[in-house]
């Protein structure tokens, strides 16, 4: 799944109706050049492709030659939430996809965010248990000490994933973040504006 696709859908949805330059400016104000593999050109390409796919409605502005405004279609709204939940609950996704999911998590209701993160935690805990068993078997079979470091590294990463997800889940449960349906900023990110309009709760 493309993080760009999720981010672009999310920002257009947040504004309600907007044009490419505004989407690009909003995303850059979130610092995506530091944490997502999103180039300015890919934003415009995503807008056009999403419109071709029927997920965005494109409207040419007659008084402004060359300008096209975009809004999310009902199908696009469904796709946005599918991509968002998928980004949060499936740990096998790329890091930039998870980051996009975190950036747009405020579009979810608290219950929906808790459900997605709970599923993520369950998968990570199961993966860690399997890894721990495989690691013990490998060491018992006389794995050379330097190769055992590979297992130690994998276990550390597995522990980190579980601990971070558990901590995030607790923060979401406790009400630490601003989520949909709570009359707050729809993005909760730097550069966002109340004028964007709060998304519907999912």
């Amino acid at each position: 799944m493309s993080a760009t696709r999720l981010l672009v859908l999310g920002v257009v949805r947040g504004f309600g109706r907007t044009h490419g330059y505004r989407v690009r400016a909003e995303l850059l104000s979130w610092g995506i050049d530091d944490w997502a593999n999103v180039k300015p050109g890919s934003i415009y390409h995503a807008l056009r492709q999403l419109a071709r796919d029927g997920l965005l409605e494109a409207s040419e502005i007659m008084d402004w030659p060359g300008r096209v405004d975009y809004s999310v279609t009902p199908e696009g709204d469904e796709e946005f939430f599918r991509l968002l939940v998928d980004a949060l609950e499936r740990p096998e996704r790329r890091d930039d996809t998870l980051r996009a999911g975190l950036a747009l998590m405020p579009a979810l209701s608290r219950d929906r965010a808790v459900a997605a993160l709970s599923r993520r935690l369950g998968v990570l805990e199961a993966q860690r248990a399997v890894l721990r068993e495989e690691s013990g078997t490998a060491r018992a079979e006389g794995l050379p000490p330097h190769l055992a470091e590979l297992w130690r590294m994998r276990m550390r990463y597995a522990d980190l994933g579980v601990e971070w997800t558990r901590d995030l889940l607790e923060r979401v449960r406790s009400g630490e973040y601003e989520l949909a349906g709570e009359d707050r900023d729809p993005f909760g990110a730097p550069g966002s504006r109340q004028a964007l309009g709060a998304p519907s709760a999912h």
Side-chain angles (χ1 to χ4, degrees):
M1 182 195 73
S2 166
T4 305
R5 187 177 177 90
L6 172 57
L7 288 164
V8 169
L9 270 175
V11 171
V12 173
R13 182 178 181 276
F15 278 116
R17 182 185 177 95
T18 190
H19 51 87
Y21 180 80
R22 197 178 186 196
V23 173
R24 176 179 177 272
E26 182 69 18
L27 287 173
L28 289 176
S29 78
W30 296 7
I32 61 161
D33 44 340
D34 292 328
W35 53 262
N37 186 27
V38 177
K39 307 299 182 189
S42 67
I43 294 171
Y44 295 104
H45 173 77
L47 286 165
R48 292 190 293 270
Q49 185 60 53
L50 288 164
R52 285 193 291 269
D53 292 344
L55 303 177
L56 293 179
E57 181 179 348
S59 304
E60 293 188 13
I61 307 303
M62 302 308 295
D63 294 336
W64 195 332
R67 172 170 160 171
V68 177
D69 278 3
Y70 297 91
S71 57
V72 177
T73 64
E75 294 79 11
D77 203 53
E78 291 181 11
E79 177 70 356
F80 166 71
F81 281 107
R82 186 190 70 78
L83 293 175
L84 176 53
V85 169
D86 193 67
L88 291 174
E89 71 181 15
R90 294 183 60 182
E92 68 272 19
R93 294 301 189 191
R94 291 178 9 174
D95 285 348
D96 61 343
T97 301
L98 172 59
R99 292 170 189 149
L102 291 172
L104 293 164
M105 186 173 67
L108 294 175
S109 67
R110 192 164 302 280
D111 287 346
R112 194 66 189 90
V114 166
L117 292 172
S118 295
R119 277 193 286 274
R120 180 183 192 87
L121 180 59
V123 172
L124 288 171
E125 288 175 333
Q127 290 175 345
R128 183 175 66 171
V130 171
L131 185 60
R132 184 174 287 127
E133 183 178 347
E134 291 175 346
S135 174
T137 300
R139 287 197 299 270
E141 292 175 350
L143 192 69
H146 68 285
L147 293 180
E149 290 299 331
L150 297 173
W151 288 99
R152 291 191 185 96
M153 179 183 68
R154 292 176 68 189
M155 282 304 306
R156 291 288 179 90
Y157 278 118
D159 287 339
L160 178 62
V162 167
E163 291 165 11
W164 174 80
T165 303
R166 185 180 292 130
D167 288 346
L168 174 60
L169 179 57
E170 281 307 307
R171 289 192 293 275
V172 172
R173 278 182 173 143
S174 69
E176 187 170 331
Y177 301 109
E178 302 175 355
L179 300 180
E182 300 174 349
D183 297 324
R184 300 176 184 179
D185 187 336
F187 294 139
S192 296
R193 291 164 288 279
Q194 284 301 115
L196 294 180
S200 59
H202 271 63

